[in-house]
Amino acid sequence: MGRSVSPGDRRERGRAWAELLRIPALFTVPGDALAGAAATTAPPSSRTLLAIGSSLCLYEAGMALNDWADREEDAAERPHRPLPSGRVRPSAALTAACALTVSGLALAARAGRPALTVAAPLAATVWAYDLALKHTPAGPAAMAAARALDLLLGAAATAGRTREALPSAGLLATHTLTVTAVSRHETRGGSARTPLAALAATALLTGLLPRLIRRPAGGPPGPDRPAQPVTDALGSALGAVYAATAARPYFHAALNPSPPLTQRAVGGGIRATIPLQAALAARSGAGVTALLVAALAPAAGRFARKVSVT
């Protein structure tokens, strides 16, 4: 007879997988598709939900593949991570990455050909980043491209087109580029220029939000698209929350670029993704969608106190 698994063992195994998949960061994913859908004139539908499911699968595939690809580096620098500590087998992480990728592409196919046309290069970008590009100068750009494609996936699934969502995708990609650039120093620290550049980029993005992201003309009336002054005010408020969430840890890391403060800067940048997505949705006129996205932030914060987001 096989050895029975105690509740304590199951909890420890669950915690190991939660660390591997970086569950708190998962709350930053639905807002990509929702912001992309908001940028079009089409109302959210079941295809939008399929796009969110596809995004979640592909994001978590990237998380599992990331640790599988970095298992030797983590053994030297972060031996507490699930793979080097032995709490998750490398083969299990790789299997999970493959299964999640297939699931993500299948969900995108259910959402329609336009969605699959975006999801396929998104999946390829995720795998290319983790296996080849992460430690090269192209790494931050690849991560930024993945986030932009994720937002465009929501637009493609909802409306069958992506053109209106391109400005939102560009702003989200720029934010992701800065966070990824800062993350390259999180284990060693030592660079004040990168968090300073991220701080400047955050200020620039906050200023560009009202200029580049505008309510689509001819959008259908409905509860998700209240009067423009309301959504503009909501967008301004959420933009301020975005700036405050990202800027403070960047500033601290610029003053003292130690590994702990750099890691906090990365975490702050990741958490700031949610109010940025919400601000993009609000500026696009989707007030209810913006509030739903913003509501993910408290849950992400609670999980981040239990499981590291970086």
Side-chain angles (χ1 to χ4, degrees):
M1 295 180 64
R3 186 178 69 88
S4 61
V5 180
S6 69
D9 290 339
R10 284 194 293 268
R11 283 195 298 270
E12 181 58 30
R13 184 177 301 172
R15 181 175 179 82
W17 277 96
E19 291 180 22
L20 176 73
L21 299 175
R22 294 170 175 83
I23 294 301
L26 196 62
F27 290 92
T28 70
V29 177
D32 288 348
L34 290 171
T40 72
T41 56
S45 65
S46 59
R47 293 190 299 273
T48 311
L49 294 177
L50 288 169
I52 292 173
S54 176
S55 296
L56 291 169
C57 288
L58 294 177
Y59 188 88
E60 290 294 46
M63 293 295 101
L65 187 63
N66 175 78
D67 274 34
W68 181 84
D70 283 355
R71 60 194 185 279
E72 294 182 3
E73 178 183 334
D74 284 346
E77 296 183 353
R78 292 183 285 190
H80 61 279
R81 291 293 299 163
L83 267 62
S85 66
R87 291 176 293 151
V88 175
R89 298 192 312 275
S91 59
L94 182 59
T95 300
C98 294
L100 287 163
T101 300
V102 171
S103 298
L105 292 174
L107 288 169
R110 289 284 303 276
R113 183 176 295 178
L116 182 59
T117 301
V118 176
L122 171 57
T125 302
V126 168
W127 279 73
Y129 173 81
D130 282 330
L131 297 182
L133 300 177
K134 184 191 314 179
H135 300 298
T136 73
M143 182 63 78
R147 272 290 184 179
L149 287 168
D150 204 30
L151 188 146
L152 295 176
L153 175 58
T158 303
R161 59 186 186 273
T162 60
R163 180 177 297 178
E164 300 99 323
L166 289 175
S168 293
L171 292 184
L172 183 62
T174 303
H175 167 71
T176 305
L177 182 71
T178 63
V179 177
T180 309
V182 174
S183 73
R184 293 163 79 91
H185 303 279
E186 66 178 331
T187 58
R188 298 180 179 88
S191 173
R193 288 177 296 179
T194 305
L196 274 176
L199 188 61
T202 300
L204 177 64
L205 290 176
T206 304
L208 288 176
L209 263 171
R211 293 178 172 84
L212 294 184
I213 312 302
R214 299 179 183 276
R215 187 186 186 102
D224 192 35
R225 295 191 179 271
Q228 184 168 347
V230 175
T231 53
D232 283 353
L234 179 60
S236 296
L238 290 167
V241 174
Y242 157 69
T245 303
R248 184 176 180 181
Y250 286 159
F251 180 69
H252 289 166
L255 291 177
N256 178 13
S258 63
L261 289 181
T262 303
Q263 290 165 16
R264 290 181 189 177
V266 175
I270 293 172
R271 290 191 297 274
T273 303
I274 296 176
L276 176 58
Q277 294 162 336
L280 292 171
R283 283 289 174 184
S284 297
V288 175
T289 296
L291 292 174
L292 288 174
V293 173
L296 296 171
R302 285 195 295 271
F303 274 90
R305 288 192 287 269
K306 299 179 180 180
V307 179
S308 174
V309 74
T310 65

